[in-house]
Amino acid sequence: MSVPLSRRRLLTAGGAGLVLAGLSDPFRAGPARAAVTTADLVVYGATSGGLAAAITMRRLGHTAVVVEPTSHVGGLSTSGLGATDTGVQASIGGLAAEFYRRVYVKYHGGTLTPTSPLRMTFEPRVAAAVFAEMLAEAGVPVVVGARLSGLGRSGNRITELRTEDGSIYSGGVFVDASYEGDLLAMAGVGFTVGRESNDTYGETINGVQSRNTHQFVYPVDPYVTAGSPASGLLPGISTTPLAPQGSGDDRIQAYCFRMCLTQAANRIPFGRPSDYDPIRYELLLRHIQAGFTGPYFTTGSIGGGKTDSNNNGAVSTDHIGFNHAYPTATWAARESIIAEHRSYQQGMMWFLANDPRLPASVRESTARWGLPADEFTGTGGWPPLLYIREARRMVSAYVMTEADCRGRVRATDSVGLASYTMDSHNCQRVVVDGRVRNEGDVQIGVPSPYPVSYRAIVPHQAQCANLLVPVCLSASHIAYGSIRMEPVFMILGQAAATAASLALAGNLAVQAVSVPALQARLRQDGAVLEWGSTSEVILDNAAAGGITRAGTWLRSTSIGGYYGPDYEHDGNTAKGVNRLRFRPTLPASGSWTVQLRWTADPNRASNVPVDIAYSGGVATRTVDQRQSGGQWVPLGTYPFTAGTDGSVLIRTEDTDGHVIADAVRFVRA
């Protein structure tokens, strides 16, 4: 089949961005109903997962078209999320790995090969250029500004989707790659929104979670007039009392814009929104006045002197509590919610840079940042997409849960691996004992990469036999917090298209596709589907054995991003006396890459000495625990013999802050 290029606003990729193809006046108003576009695979949503699906389908010899409801292509990967949340990088394979290899080549030059390194940090415009090249090479047309308005069905199959301008897209198989799950909902596929209780799937960290990460570290009064409940609550604070820990509700984790910031001379200063209201930032002001010194947003480097700036702290870029209606709202209502988030976040940046009630140091440090002139030029340097961290989640024959993430169960029908921390941002603000408190933030590491079930990306067959869902897949709230990463969306998008190809070839329902055949083709195309027990060894501070301590070490969960149930610190005392040694049991002799994990904070030491004892010697590395928290930081590759001869020793002598001991990881080289 061929995809006719007679569509209004039909885009193909070319050069460094998307260019209009086949039309002399593509934005000219067309007839009341446009011609039908037909393809083997119709993808709704030009997210990273949707683009991966369409590119894969074309490479497999079929036609594909991508239909995107907004004017933006590439999802969050091209809208500010340039510091990719990866977990274990080696678990990323196939087309996703190719994308990050292409990013590496953009920055470092050379020829793209299957062994080129992956680069996980990048400027939005670079990611857009990489996607554009991949789309152009595959010949994938992308239609933007095309919101779903209806479906055609025959029995339990979708035959076509219709958009608001009257256009029709007919296909054999469909993929819902949107962040919202609009197509699956319109198709009558079961879904859920919000947080399950812990009891629903036998979990421990789902539902209401009152924890200490991204939390108020100083007491802050919640009332408009401090000390006066009669004056009412400040904006965004719930009037509902805090529910029991682990109970379910319909709340979702907060959204924000992933800002790309720079300190370049030509930066665009933060502007004051037309509807600016300082009452929105009263909580932040009070927290600062109480003693909080920041940081108030992250400034992680992505290259080109730019950042991927995300939420950080109790009051930051997350607009907590203002997104709960978004997943199932109309587009008009969503636009209002998006505008509210944009106004709040732009106003927060203006507040931090200008409000005279703030210390001059806060204003001056914020004003040194601004929006880059060469990013998001169509929206004045501001990211075009709101970060929809979670919306609808399909409910299918296999629901991914905390047990999958922790490796307690392992799906046998793997179509890719996930490995990131179980990560939920705060969901609400409540009043507890007369003070405001955030609720919902969870950051718990997973022991190793784990498989995502094929059944989790296909609905029940009775509901729809030719739909695949690689983004709003079937997962509990807390498991989705680990899976919902851009590399995984690309991994699952590739799997969805490969399954679609097999379904078309055999005239099968997607649920009837042979999993062994699907896995064989995915492996042929570079996918990583298993993570063997002999490939890595992780030793956590809470392990029953393999840990020896000298001096006094204190357990804590105050700063998120730790692996396992907690981490330990030296209390910033007894320097040189406090030591902690990890001595793992390695299953085989050979070269192993040593990685260390800690939780970062400004009060951490920047000069922690770490001794790696290996076969034939000891190597000392110095790590900065004020940076790179919540991730595996490589310390080098060394020869080890099988058994317990090797070790990693964390020392504290002459360190300039709290020293953290969380976990060590050995990966077969």
Side-chain angles (χ1 to χ4, degrees), residues 91 410 414-419 449-452 488 491 528-531:
S91 68
R410 296 183 73 82
S414 172
V415 289
L417 302 178
S419 63
Y450 58 90
V452 178
V488 181
I491 289 167
V528 181
L529 305 184
E530 300 91 12
W531 196 259

Side-chain angles (χ1 to χ4, degrees), residues 39-397:
D40 296 324
L41 183 70
V42 178
V43 178
Y44 186 68
T47 60
S48 61
L51 300 185
I55 292 166
T56 298
M57 198 67 172
R58 292 289 293 131
R59 290 181 177 181
L60 292 172
H62 300 278
T63 56
V65 62
V66 179
V67 181
E68 165 59 31
T70 75
S71 60
H72 186 76
V73 175
L76 263 293
S77 287
T78 57
S79 189
L81 209 168
T84 308
D85 297 319
T86 59
V88 179
Q89 190 179 116
S91 68
I92 301 171
L95 189 142
E98 178 189 334
F99 172 83
Y100 296 109
R101 289 190 179 102
R102 285 174 177 254
V103 170
Y104 178 88
V105 171
K106 284 287 184 185
Y107 281 98
H108 304 283
T111 302
L112 177 69
T113 71
T115 60
S116 298
L118 281 63
R119 176 167 171 143
M120 312 305 296
T121 57
F122 44 81
E123 299 157 85
R125 62 186 181 86
V126 173
V130 171
F131 272 135
E133 290 172 0
M134 296 175 75
L135 290 165
E137 291 168 10
V140 175
V142 179
V143 184
V144 298
R147 293 176 179 171
L148 182 66
S149 64
L151 295 180
R153 293 182 65 108
S154 176
N156 64 349
R157 290 179 177 265
I158 303 170
T159 57
E160 63 184 33
L161 64 81
R162 297 183 288 273
T163 54
E164 289 180 352
D165 66 355
S167 302
I168 297 172
Y169 302 87
S170 175
V173 182
F174 293 77
V175 165
D176 186 343
S178 67
Y179 289 123
E180 295 86 2
D182 288 345
L183 175 54
L184 73 89
M186 190 170 287
V189 170
F191 66 87
T192 187
V193 174
R195 302 181 287 184
E196 298 89 354
S197 71
N198 275 332
D199 292 340
T200 303
Y201 296 117
E203 297 176 302
T204 65
I205 51 175
N206 206 339
V208 171
Q209 295 290 318
S210 183
R211 293 171 175 263
N212 293 322
T213 46
H214 295 289
Q215 190 58 268
F216 290 89
V217 296
Y218 296 94
V220 172
D221 190 289
Y223 302 110
V224 174
T225 301
S228 173
S231 66
L233 294 168
L234 287 167
I237 301 176
S238 174
T239 59
T240 305
L242 182 64
Q245 188 90 340
S247 57
D249 59 25
D250 60 359
R251 296 181 176 90
I252 56 175
Q253 57 180 308
Y255 299 165
C256 71
F257 287 88
R258 293 294 283 254
M259 298 180 296
C260 183
L261 303 181
T262 183
Q263 294 184 341
N266 67 340
R267 66 187 180 276
I268 303 169
F270 300 119
R272 174 174 169 151
S274 59
D275 60 349
Y276 178 82
D277 187 347
I279 195 67
R280 284 171 157 176
Y281 315 106
E282 182 67 20
L283 283 176
L284 179 54
L285 176 64
R286 292 181 186 181
H287 201 207
I288 293 171
Q289 291 173 336
F292 183 65
T293 58
Y296 310 107
F297 50 90
T298 66
T299 53
S301 175
I302 57 173
K306 300 170 188 172
T307 74
D308 169 355
S309 289
N310 193 17
N311 184 82
N312 193 82
V315 185
S316 184
T317 60
D318 279 0
H319 201 18
I320 299 172
F322 285 82
N323 64 335
H324 295 157
Y326 182 91
T328 59
T330 64
W331 272 108
R334 284 177 181 168
E335 287 178 343
S336 178
I337 293 169
I338 292 168
E340 166 65 25
H341 280 71
R342 184 186 302 111
S343 174
Y344 162 79
Q345 194 165 331
Q346 291 178 342
M348 189 199 83
M349 300 307 293
W350 189 92
F351 165 80
L352 286 169
N354 293 279
D355 196 297
R357 296 171 295 174
L358 294 173
S361 59
V362 173
R363 288 180 276 124
E364 291 167 1
S365 63
T366 304
R368 284 196 287 269
W369 294 100
L371 305 175
D374 61 346
E375 298 284 358
F376 313 134
T377 55
T379 50
W382 193 259
L385 293 186
L386 182 64
Y387 188 5
I388 309 303
R389 290 189 171 95
E390 175 184 13
R392 293 184 180 95
R393 302 188 310 279
M394 181 170 67
V395 180
S396 71

Side-chain angles (χ1 to χ4, degrees), residues 365-555:
S365 63
T366 304
R368 284 196 287 269
W369 294 100
L371 305 175
D374 61 346
E375 298 284 358
F376 313 134
T377 55
T379 50
W382 193 259
L385 293 186
L386 182 64
Y387 188 5
I388 309 303
R389 290 189 171 95
E390 175 184 13
R392 293 184 180 95
R393 302 188 310 279
M394 181 170 67
V395 180
S396 71
Y398 194 102
V399 179
M400 301 291 296
T401 70
E402 180 185 337
D404 292 274
C405 299
R406 293 190 185 272
R408 294 171 184 160
V409 300
R410 296 183 73 82
T412 58
D413 55 344
S414 172
V415 289
L417 302 178
S419 63
Y420 194 70
T421 296
M422 290 178 282
D423 178 2
S424 172
H425 285 232
N426 278 305
C427 300
Q428 63 175 331
R429 288 196 172 110
V430 295
V431 178
V432 178
D433 297 328
R435 297 289 183 263
V436 64
R437 186 171 176 83
N438 292 339
E439 183 278 313
D441 192 278
V442 179
Q443 298 174 45
I444 303 294
V446 302
S448 65
Y450 58 90
V452 178
S453 167
Y454 177 60
R455 288 164 289 168
I457 69 169
V458 296
H460 292 287
Q461 185 169 337
Q463 295 174 349
C464 193
N466 65 336
L467 175 68
L468 298 112
V469 185
V471 176
C472 294
L473 71 154
S474 179
S476 71
H477 161 76
I478 198 61
Y480 192 78
S482 171
I483 298 168
R484 62 173 182 86
M485 304 303 156
E486 294 288 292
V488 181
F489 289 155
M490 283 190 263
I491 289 167
L492 298 180
Q494 179 180 359
T498 306
S501 175
L502 293 172
L504 288 172
N507 193 26
L508 301 169
V510 293
Q511 294 82 1
V513 165
S514 165
V515 170
L518 171 60
Q519 292 175 327
R521 181 65 210 215
L522 288 171
R523 290 190 187 96
Q524 179 182 333
D525 293 334
V528 181
L529 305 184
E530 300 91 12
W531 196 259
S533 60
T534 61
S535 297
E536 73 164 2
V537 174
I538 296 178
L539 185 58
D540 182 56
N541 68 287
I547 309 291
T548 56
R549 301 170 181 83
T552 301
W553 290 85
L554 306 174
R555 293 284 183 89

